[in-house]
Every structure is written in C-alpha cells, then in structure tokens.
Amino acid sequence: MKPNRFDDETLVAYLDGELPGEQANLVEQEINTNAEIRQRVDSLRATWELLLDLPSDPKPTRDLAQSTIELITLELEKKNTSLWSKLRKNRWLMLGSLAILLLSTGLAAGKIVSQLSQQRFMRNLPAVVELTSLRNVYSPNTTTIAGSSATDAEWDAEEDIEWIAKLSEIKNLGNFDPPGKQRQIGKSFVPSNPSDRRAWCDSLNEQERALLLSNYQDFERLPRGHQDNLIKLTQVVYDKSAQTKDTLDAIRAYSALLEEESSRKKREIKTMLPLEKRAAEVQRMVNLRMGQRYAETMPNEDKAVIEKWVEDQMYYLNDIVELYRELTLDSEMSVIKRWDLDPLIDQLSPQAKELYNDIDEKEARSTIAYWIYFVIDPDMIGHVPPEKLRTEFERLSDQHDLLELLPEQDALNILKRRLLGPDALEEAASSGI
Amino acid sequence: MVDHKQIGLTAARIDPDVDLMLRVKEDDAVAFDQLMRAYQARLLRVLRHIVGSESVAEDLVQDVFLRVWRARKNYQPAAKFSTWVFHIAHNVASNSLRDSKRRKEFQVASSEAKSDTFSLDQMAIASTGAMPIRKLDKAERAEMVQTAVQALNERQRMALLLCKFEGQSYQEIADTMELSVQAVKSLLSRARVNLKTLLEPYIQSGALPGEGVDNHDSNETGGANPS
C-alpha cells in the first residue's frame, strides 16, 4: 500500500479549487491511481453535496430593509431633536408633509431623513392611495383588536384576497358610480415603477394632494402589522396587471357603497361569511342602486310608458300618493299586484327591464315608485282634485270664517291634510317637493 | 508573490455593490435600500445556520445593516462589498453567540434547530455503525444535515457557509473572518472531515440513522466538535 501523501487539508483544498496548478495535478494523478485517495476524495465531495439539502432560500418573516430604514429614521430623528422638537408630537405628519413638499417642489433639501421618508412614502404609495378603499376590504378579526395590541389581530389574508377576486365578478360594481364624494386620488392608478411615481404625484391637483397627505397620516398611524397587511393586499391588486384597473374600480365602488351604510351594517357586510353570501348581499345592494340611478338617466320612451301606466292606475286609485303608498307595500298586502306591474315592465326598454329583473321583488316595487317620482310632475304628489277640496270645504261650514282668514296655501294644506292624512304633506315636503 | 491588497482593490473596482456602497457613503438612502434588498436573504441564510434561530438571525441581519449605515462614512473599498458586509455579519454573530452563551438563553445548537428526530448523539452513534439505519425522506435529510452543521464550532461553521453558500475563496474567507489563509484551509478541512464523520453512514448507504436510540449513552458528541 502506498504511503498517504496527501492530508485532508490538501484534499479539501483540491476540491475547493484552491490548490496551485502543479499541486492539483499531483492530487489528480494520485486519484487516478490510488483507490484509497479516490475514496477519501469521493467521500469528502459527497459530504459537500449533502449541504445542498440545507434550506437555502430563506424568506424573512418581515421586510428587514424597510424596518431597518425605520430604525435609522428614528435614530436620525433622535439626533436632530432640536430640528424636530416643535413637531415631535406629530412625527409622521411632519415626515409626510416633508415628503409631499419634496415631491411637489423637487427640493433637494432634507437629505437623509427626507430621502428615507420619501422612499418609504413612494414604496407604499399604492397602499396609501387606496387606503380608504382597502380598509373596507381588509377584515382582521376585530374582536382581537379591541382586546389587545392591534398588530396581533388575526387576519385571514387568503379570505381578503379571495374577496378581492369576488368583487371583480360582481355585476355592475365596477361601473357603479354611487352618489356622494369618492375619496379617489388620481385619475389613473399608481405606476408600478417607483421612478414614475414622482411624476404621478406631480400630476395630482391640490385637492388630491391634500387627500393623499391625509391618507398618509392615517396610514402611518396604523399599527405596523396592519400597514404590512394593507401593503400585501395592494400588491395583490397591482400584480393583476391587466385587470388592475377593473379590480381597483370594483374595490373603490365597494368601499363607496359601504360608506353609505350604517356602521353596524358596514361591519355586518365586511365580516359576512361565506364569501358567496357576502357577494350576493353586495350584488343586491348594487342592483338596487343601479335601479335607482336609472331614474336620472331614463330615456323619454320609458318615461312615456310610466306616465301612461300611472294614468291608467288613476282609474282605480284616488291619487298618486295612494299609488305610491301601494307600491311600498308587499304585493300580497297591496291592491297593486304583480300582474298590474307586468304590463308596465313589458313595455319598458330592455335596459330598464334587465335592471328591474335583477332587483328583489319588494325592492323592485319601491324602485318603480322611485322611478315614478322622477317621471311624474312632482307637484302631482299630494295633488287633490279641486272638486274634492271644495266638497271638504263645504263640509266644514262651521270653520269657513277661519279658513277664509288664513293665507290661501295654508287653508288648502289643511283641507289636503284632512283628505290625505297628516303624513301626505310631510312626505311630499321631505322628498323636496 | 501574489499581492492580496491589489487583488482586493481590483475586485472592489469591478464590484457594482461597491458603487452602491460609495453612494451610501454620500447618504444615498435609495442605494442603501438596494443593498439591503440584495443582501438580506444572503445574510439571513448564513446567519440562521450560525445562530440556529430564524428570529435571532433576522434581528442580526438588521443589526448588520445598521452597522453598515453607521460605518458608511469610513467605508473604503478594499475588497468586494460582500467581503466587508460578511465581515460585519461574522462579528455581529460572534458577539451574539458570546452574549447568549453568557446569558445561557439558548445553546449554539438551539432548541429551534434541534430535531426531535435527529440528535447529534444519534448521529455520532450511527457513525460507529452500531445502530440500524433506515431510508430518509428529503425533509429528514435536510434536518439531519442541519444538525450536523450545527455540531461544528462557530468558526468552522462560518467558514463552511461562506465557502458553500457565498462561494467565497479562501482569501475572501480569510479577509471576512480576519484569519490567515492557512487558518481558513485548516478550518474548512476540519469542518469537512467532521461533517464526513457524522454523515458518512448516509453517504455510504443513503440511509441514516435509525430509531430506538434511547438506551445509548448520549455523551459522545465531542468527536464532532474537535476544535
């Protein structure tokens, strides 16, 4: 047996490619001729290859870069207490203001802190812009929030992500333009490339910038865990690329829809499970509002059909107020049955028909009442034929003197109230008529 | 004779990360962010094997970045940026291990890394051929290798990880760990031989180690950690 010419160090260095050429050649020759050396080298090599089994692609549980930037920002802030002391109580307001200021003026001042806060601002811009809408999508376990640190709130990311996908499937939601002001910032969505985001911010008008700043302050006040979750949700939306705009429209519309509801109802919808049930409820709400909004844009052909139908109903009813009341009752309780409405629906345009058919029956009846409001001359509501007023006046012979002393309109109102009941005039008044 | 200083300077000149670090030196936060994002997973990969705990490793990565930021004004590009940043990581990890050893809060082979299935004792016994073997699945194999790596001392482990995961040359490892090249050669050799001792049964048979080792004496781990 040959003496062992090579120690482990040499063989390991050979395997690592760290031996000078001449020495490496010697080892190679030895490997080719000496089975014992070959076996030692093979064994060391096999050990090395086993290290490939170690998990090699770790994913940090948090964004270490971002949290480091925050630590540095805090550190720098402490150093600059004299500069910041006046605004110490509202640190993020200051950082946010500074970021906006830098964005809008392009000032190169502020150096590190401004760079860091601006960079953070730019990175989180989509989440900040969509904060109002996303907050209504985001549904951590609120009972946990109430009891302890909000960062510990349980959050089912998959559920919210699935809900975002479902929102995009709700018919007419993306096209739905609910009344009231939408807190939308920018006409387009935030560019995915961070370097284009500055230009996007520059394109905002004064009001949008104010909204953006307000959102930024709100965002920074959120617990860190909530911020991260909202960022994740935004990422999901922005990753959809081709569908991003539609998805954002749906999320914004959904949010606007919820904002019109009471807090209790809003919470009920946000936490409604399963998601199919929640989607059905939102679809119902959208259908109802779409039906109501149709009244404002209704074509003349449909108006004519409604006017004719109302006129026909007046053969059986005293006045339009009565018609309105009947339509607010269930079909079973009302003198206006489904078969009374069918001829009306049949003659309406396909668009009106489709909207009507999408709405639940009870709500469909009140939608018809709503359409009538828009179509029929508002003065007709509370209208009482003059001959009826005269008969009533005659009947109140003992009060003639008093009625004649009153201003004419007041006297007429008294007579109408006696004929229609006390609610009729109030309803007419509250509906702006 | 090879001029290592000159090699380091040449490496620095062609390293794009050095350019980024020079921008960081001028307080460029965007460049700093880019560097952090480029290195956070690499640092985490090495540090978690050093400290044996995912969460401690994350804290250490953050500590490394903070030190890079604080030291930026004194940065001189004498080598590749990775050499410098892993030098900081090595110091941070060594300090952490020393402190935790003092506090006895966790062991080098921490409870997080320690497996219920594979202990160093089992592996040491298996390496003697005194126990039955069975086939391992991939997760078990990974666990077994991890346990074996944890059994190395900290310096062997660091040298091994820099060599394997970071692809550093002996000279770069020497610069990172402030050792001579000969010392690195020796460390890596001992690390590899120790690993081979522990993992040899698997290398030879594709299976290791068996169950039912409760009756074995478990005080024979020293052989895996000779230095």
Side-chain angles (χ1 to χ4, degrees):
Chain A
M1 189 176 165
K2 275 187 179 180
N4 189 353
R5 291 172 57 200
F6 299 108
D7 57 13
D8 286 331
E9 263 182 34
T10 307
L11 296 183
V12 168
Y14 164 76
L15 285 172
D16 288 340
E18 292 276 349
L19 280 187
E22 197 179 323
Q23 218 177 336
N25 287 339
L26 285 174
V27 174
E28 219 151 279
Q29 282 171 19
E30 197 70 13
I31 289 169
N32 291 333
T33 56
N34 184 334
E36 188 252 331
I37 289 285
R38 187 164 56 246
Q39 194 200 344
R40 279 171 60 203
V41 168
D42 285 349
S43 178
L44 284 168
R45 187 185 283 125
T47 308
W48 199 233
E49 282 166 5
L50 272 182
L51 292 177
L52 290 173
D53 285 328
L54 286 172
S56 59
D57 189 20
K59 294 221 168 11
T61 55
R62 55 199 155 108
D63 187 340
L64 296 172
Q66 185 163 322
S67 52
T68 306
I69 281 185
E70 283 167 12
L71 276 177
I72 291 170
T73 308
L74 287 171
E75 203 172 82
L76 289 165
E77 189 193 352
K78 273 183 198 164
K79 280 186 186 167
N80 296 315
T81 44
S82 59
L83 177 64
W84 309 112
S85 55
K86 286 181 187 172
L87 291 161
R88 190 183 294 154
K89 285 181 185 171
N90 204 345
R91 174 166 58 89
W92 288 113
L93 172 64
M94 179 197 59
L95 288 175
S97 308
L98 184 55
I100 298 285
L101 184 70
L102 288 168
L103 287 172
S104 55
T105 60
L107 285 178
K111 283 204 106 178
I112 306 161
V113 172
S114 62
Q115 271 188 27
L116 292 171
S117 58
Q118 192 180 142
Q119 191 189 4
R120 177 180 157 74
F121 175 83
M122 283 300 179
R123 188 182 312 124
N124 297 337
L125 189 59
V128 173
V129 168
E130 296 303 328
L131 181 67
T132 318
S133 312
L134 283 170
R135 266 180 161 172
N136 280 325
V137 172
Y138 176 49
S139 52
N141 184 333
T142 46
T143 52
T144 316
I145 297 175
S148 59
S149 163
T151 50
D152 297 331
E154 288 173 22
W155 180 52
D156 187 341
E158 289 306 314
E159 186 185 298
D160 281 350
I161 291 167
E162 201 184 330
W163 178 234
I164 286 177
K166 282 218 177 304
L167 277 176
S168 308
E169 291 166 10
I170 291 176
K171 187 180 160 190
N172 285 327
L173 179 63
N175 306 320
F176 178 61
D177 179 26
K181 286 179 185 174
Q182 274 204 56
R183 285 166 57 92
Q184 186 170 329
I185 301 167
K187 290 175 182 62
S188 61
F189 53 91
V190 179
S192 54
N193 186 350
S195 59
D196 296 333
R197 290 180 180 175
R198 179 189 293 264
W200 186 87
C201 287
D202 288 342
S203 73
L204 300 178
N205 62 34
E206 289 287 314
Q207 195 185 3
E208 288 170 334
R209 284 185 193 193
L211 276 176
L212 184 62
L213 177 56
S214 162
N215 275 16
Y216 186 59
Q217 289 160 12
D218 289 347
F219 182 81
E220 291 298 349
R221 282 190 201 107
L222 290 171
R224 179 61 195 278
H226 284 218
Q227 289 181 5
D228 290 345
N229 295 345
L230 288 168
I231 290 167
K232 273 182 209 162
L233 278 186
T234 322
Q235 197 60 47
V236 168
V237 175
Y238 273 70
D239 281 350
K240 287 176 179 288
S241 55
Q243 294 98 44
T244 297
K245 190 181 177 311
D246 291 343
T247 309
L248 277 177
D249 284 347
I251 290 173
R252 287 168 180 171
Y254 168 66
S255 178
L257 199 64
L258 288 202
E259 290 307 321
E260 291 185 351
E261 300 295 332
S262 66
S263 305
R264 194 182 58 80
K265 176 73 176 167
K266 196 158 89 172
R267 195 163 51 245
E268 182 190 319
I269 295 170
K270 282 181 68 174
T271 53
M272 195 178 276
L273 287 171
L275 291 179
E276 287 69 24
K277 189 179 165 196
R278 197 191 301 175
E281 175 61 12
V282 173
Q283 185 69 72
R284 185 194 67 75
M285 292 163 70
V286 170
N287 290 345
L288 181 61
R289 279 162 179 73
M290 284 295 284
Q292 290 173 344
R293 298 306 300 276
Y294 181 69
E296 295 169 18
T297 55
M298 189 182 283
N300 289 335
E301 294 75 27
D302 281 347
K303 283 182 181 169
V305 169
I306 290 174
E307 277 172 350
K308 177 73 176 62
W309 183 82
V310 170
E311 199 181 316
D312 290 347
Q313 301 309 307
M314 288 303 114
Y315 286 110
Y316 316 104
L317 302 170
N318 286 323
D319 50 47
I320 200 161
V321 173
E322 195 177 346
L323 171 65
Y324 172 68
R325 278 184 181 155
E326 290 298 329
L327 284 171
T328 58
L329 296 172
D330 284 343
S331 184
E332 294 76 27
M333 304 286 292
S334 171
V335 295
I336 300 176
K337 303 293 184 190
R338 183 194 289 265
W339 52 83
D340 293 313
L341 285 171
D342 285 347
L344 166 67
I345 307 306
D346 282 346
Q347 292 176 68
L348 288 173
S349 64
Q351 189 193 357
K353 223 178 281 184
E354 189 184 345
L355 288 170
Y356 177 84
N357 288 331
D358 282 343
I359 301 171
D360 285 354
E361 191 190 342
K362 186 171 185 306
E363 289 173 338
R365 291 171 63 85
S366 51
T367 300
I368 292 290
Y370 194 77
W371 287 356
I372 292 169
Y373 258 137
F374 272 79
V375 172
I376 306 299
D377 182 357
D379 287 342
M380 282 188 69
I381 297 176
H383 174 76
V384 181
E387 58 275 21
K388 282 196 177 183
L389 287 173
R390 175 144 309 275
T391 309
E392 183 67 11
F393 179 73
E394 297 299 338
R395 208 169 60 80
L396 297 172
S397 55
D398 58 331
Q399 293 183 41
H400 282 181
D401 290 347
L402 177 64
L403 288 168
E404 281 173 350
L405 278 172
L406 286 174
E408 186 182 353
Q409 191 57 48
D410 289 354
L412 287 172
N413 282 344
I414 287 171
L415 293 173
K416 280 183 187 177
R417 195 172 286 121
R418 290 184 62 85
L419 288 164
L420 302 171
D423 297 340
L425 292 178
E426 282 159 23
E427 277 179 16
S430 65
S431 63
I433 297 162
Chain B
M1 185 173 168
V2 183
D3 183 349
H4 291 301
K5 200 172 176 184
Q6 195 53 45
I7 291 173
L9 287 170
T10 308
R13 267 199 293 276
I14 58 170
D15 182 3
D17 293 341
V18 166
D19 291 339
L20 283 175
M21 189 58 214
L22 288 171
R23 281 171 53 195
V24 174
K25 191 176 179 177
E26 299 304 317
D27 297 335
D28 186 333
V30 177
F32 184 53
D33 185 64
Q34 278 178 273
L35 273 180
M36 285 194 290
R37 289 183 190 284
Y39 278 87
Q40 62 179 6
R42 289 168 65 177
L43 285 165
L44 189 59
R45 185 171 54 186
V46 170
L47 287 173
R48 73 173 173 177
H49 288 306
I50 297 292
V51 296
S53 157
E54 199 84 37
S55 56
V56 174
E58 286 191 5
D59 289 345
L60 293 186
V61 170
Q62 200 166 34
D63 197 11
V64 171
F65 290 147
L66 279 172
R67 283 168 190 244
V68 167
W69 178 260
R70 287 173 192 151
R72 69 192 183 284
K73 292 294 178 192
N74 298 323
Y75 175 71
Q76 293 298 334
K80 277 159 67 174
F81 174 74
S82 61
T83 307
W84 187 61
V85 83
F86 276 98
H87 171 64
I88 295 173
H90 172 59
N91 290 340
V92 164
S94 300
N95 291 345
S96 169
L97 286 174
R98 194 179 54 240
D99 292 349
S100 50
K101 210 169 188 176
R102 274 192 207 135
R103 291 194 305 267
K104 297 189 174 178
E105 279 181 1
F106 70 88
Q107 302 293 313
V108 173
S110 75
S111 55
E112 259 184 70
K114 205 168 214 169
S115 155
D116 290 338
T117 316
F118 300 107
S119 68
L120 192 58
D121 308 340
Q122 285 174 286
M123 295 176 72
I125 293 162
S127 68
T128 66
M131 64 187 293
I133 55 175
R134 66 178 175 83
K135 290 278 179 190
L136 301 175
D137 65 26
K138 199 178 173 197
E140 286 177 315
R141 203 166 60 231
E143 206 168 357
M144 175 195 68
V145 177
Q146 195 153 344
T147 306
V149 170
Q150 291 292 332
L152 305 175
N153 73 22
E154 184 238 322
R155 292 204 306 171
Q156 286 178 19
R157 204 154 64 233
M158 178 58 99
L160 188 86
L161 295 167
L162 290 174
C163 182
K164 182 67 182 172
F165 288 144
E166 282 299 308
Q168 286 195 358
S169 68
Y170 284 11
Q171 181 61 54
E172 286 168 337
I173 297 171
D175 292 342
T176 300
M177 298 178 68
E178 288 185 316
L179 297 168
S180 67
V181 172
Q182 183 50 46
V184 170
K185 203 173 171 184
S186 172
L187 269 182
L188 280 171
S189 163
R190 277 182 284 161
R192 298 268 275 266
V193 171
N194 286 338
L195 277 184
K196 191 179 77 145
T197 308
L198 287 169
L199 299 173
E200 195 133 50
Y202 177 74
I203 296 165
Q204 286 173 356
S205 63
L208 182 163
E211 296 95 344
V213 294
D214 293 348
N215 297 329
H216 290 288
D217 183 359
S218 60
N219 295 323
E220 298 297 325
T221 57
N225 198 355
S227 58

